[in-house]
Amino acid sequence: MTDLNRLQAELTVRAAAAKDSAELEALRVEALGKAGSVSELLKGLGKMSPDERREQGPLINGLRDAVAAAIAARKAELEAAELDARLAAEHVDLTLPAPPQRRGHVHPTMQTMDEMIAIFAEMGFALAEGPDIEDDFHNFTALNFPPKHPAREMHDTFWLPQDASGERKLLRTHTSPVQIRVMQRGANHDVPSWVASGQAPPIRVIVPGRVYRSDSDATHTPMFHQMEGLVIDRAIHMGHLKWTLETFCRRFFETEAVVTRFRPHHFPFTEPSAEMDVQCDRSGGSIKIGEGSDWLEILGGGMVHPNILRTCGLDPDEWQGFAFGLGVDRLGALKYGMPDLRDMFAGDVRWIEHYGFSAFAAPSPATGLS
Ligand code: DAH
């Protein structure tokens, strides 16, 4: 037996006998690695005379191929054996209880908003949105709040620091500034590009969104949600406003028995202005809508003030409209019986698990109470 034959026999026997992939890998390095015994033989070919090389070359290459094949064959065997062992050891037990999983919930505010949007969408309203960070013009001036007017103070505004141009932006105190944004582009085509949206009348939009006021108690949170409504068309009057809001209330509270009352009020951006109350029963500790003889204020509204139409480039003799604003969280709390508004935004998972809604129900005006 030649030395090469002996080496080949030894290496292939050891490969076939390797008990695991670590041992096999060590053998591969020992034989075929950079400084391996077979690699050294291959390197030696370079130093041989042409005749020697012609004789030894095929033998040494044959040795290398035989060893590599033996290692590959054992490798495949070991892998198959390892797979068999895993298949034997691991199996899926379908009778095991499923691991507990926490299911998320839809926040009551978002549920309420979806219900409101569905109701107004059925009445033909489109959605409009505006920025949370507003300027004084849209939040106050264009809405007919005169400079230094006490009504501005009543809004407990969060002001941002002065920017480079000396302007102080604010966190919008209501969704009403979006009325301006919606009306302005339609009437005036060279408004700056930061005006988010705009259309020519007729307009019929609702504006859901976050608003901010520096205020915190059981019925006020520094951030809350409003939904604004705006209708601009020809020959619009208070009757349209009343019908719209009453229809909304019946759908939202899911009872035909809703009784409403309009009380004269003042908002700078509507004339005449009103607050709307719903009749309710407070006797049992909770508020029930559609029964009783108490009144609960739920929203504000009125006819869009001519000054606002003019500011937006609309002629008040041609276009009229109504607007309203309601508190989404507050109406949700009323419908679903949540006593303290502050809990809604405290981020307590137990609260959302108790009051939250399934994410799998399609939003509809009636998902809540059914
Ligand atoms: N913006 C008012 C507020 O936050 C609510 C409101 C009242 C909106 C009357 C309106 C409206 O559009 O017509 O208190």
Side-chain angles (χ1 to χ4, degrees), residues 34-65:
K34 241 191 193 148
S37 50
V38 177
S39 309
E40 289 299 330
L41 288 169
L42 285 163
K43 280 185 217 157
L45 281 173
K47 297 187 201 92
M48 291 177 186
S49 69
D51 284 347
E52 258 183 317
R53 195 181 305 133
R54 205 168 301 122
E55 188 201 330
Q56 291 291 309
L59 297 176
I60 296 175
N61 279 313
L63 164 66
R64 195 251 335 263
D65 293 347

Side-chain angles (χ1 to χ4, degrees), residues 68-312:
I71 290 175
R74 183 60 185 151
K75 189 166 184 221
E77 270 174 28
L78 285 172
E79 281 174 358
E82 277 159 23
L83 183 61
D84 284 346
R86 274 189 57 194
L87 287 172
E90 298 172 14
H91 61 281
V92 180
D93 182 352
L94 294 175
T95 65
L96 279 176
Q101 264 186 351
R102 206 163 206 164
R103 208 197 275 168
H105 291 79
V106 175
H107 193 282
T109 291
M110 291 304 137
Q111 168 75 23
T112 305
M113 216 157 209
D114 285 346
E115 293 175 21
M116 291 177 170
I117 290 170
I119 295 169
F120 284 114
E122 277 183 15
M123 287 196 250
F125 283 78
L127 277 178
E129 286 187 301
D132 288 18
I133 297 178
E134 259 301 0
D135 50 41
D136 184 272
F137 174 76
H138 286 90
N139 198 82
F140 291 124
T141 307
L143 286 165
N144 206 28
F145 286 82
K148 306 226 160 59
H149 191 274
R152 289 185 185 227
E153 311 305 315
M154 280 160 51
H155 274 216
D156 301 314
T157 312
F158 286 113
W159 291 93
L160 273 66
Q162 238 175 33
D163 64 18
S165 69
E167 185 187 353
R168 287 192 79 183
K169 291 258 171 72
L170 51 88
L171 295 179
R172 65 177 176 192
T173 59
H174 50 176
T175 44
S176 304
V178 187
Q179 289 188 30
I180 305 299
R181 294 187 175 280
V182 169
M183 281 188 280
Q184 246 193 351
R185 174 165 287 176
N188 175 3
H189 288 278
D190 35 67
V191 291
S193 60
W194 44 260
V195 174
S197 54
Q199 65 178 92
I203 293 169
R204 205 182 292 166
V205 291
I206 47 164
V207 183
R210 278 188 287 270
V211 300
Y212 307 82
R213 289 182 203 180
S214 180
D215 206 355
S216 179
D217 60 38
T219 53
H220 297 88
T221 52
M223 185 282 304
F224 58 106
H225 299 79
Q226 284 189 338
M227 189 171 290
E228 192 83 7
L230 175 70
V231 169
I232 304 286
D233 207 335
R234 294 187 165 91
I236 293 289
H237 54 73
M238 281 293 270
H240 296 120
L241 171 64
K242 190 162 183 283
W243 179 87
T244 303
L245 293 177
E246 282 178 352
T247 304
F248 164 76
C249 283
R250 293 206 181 91
R251 301 285 321 273
F252 182 73
F253 291 112
E254 297 170 35
T255 166
E256 287 299 309
V258 175
V259 179
T260 61
R261 165 176 95 172
F262 281 69
R263 267 183 298 104
H265 196 75
H266 172 76
F267 297 107
F269 35 89
T270 42
E271 182 58 38
S273 303
E275 277 188 336
M276 190 176 99
D277 302 336
V278 287
Q279 205 163 42
C280 64
D281 176 32
R282 289 180 214 255
S283 58
S286 66
I287 299 178
K288 290 192 205 69
I289 305 290
E291 39 195 285
S293 55
D294 298 317
W295 293 97
L296 180 73
E297 177 222 317
I298 63 163
L299 56 83
M303 299 306 293
V304 177
H305 196 292
N307 284 353
I308 286 158
L309 296 169
R310 274 186 220 108
T311 298
C312 296

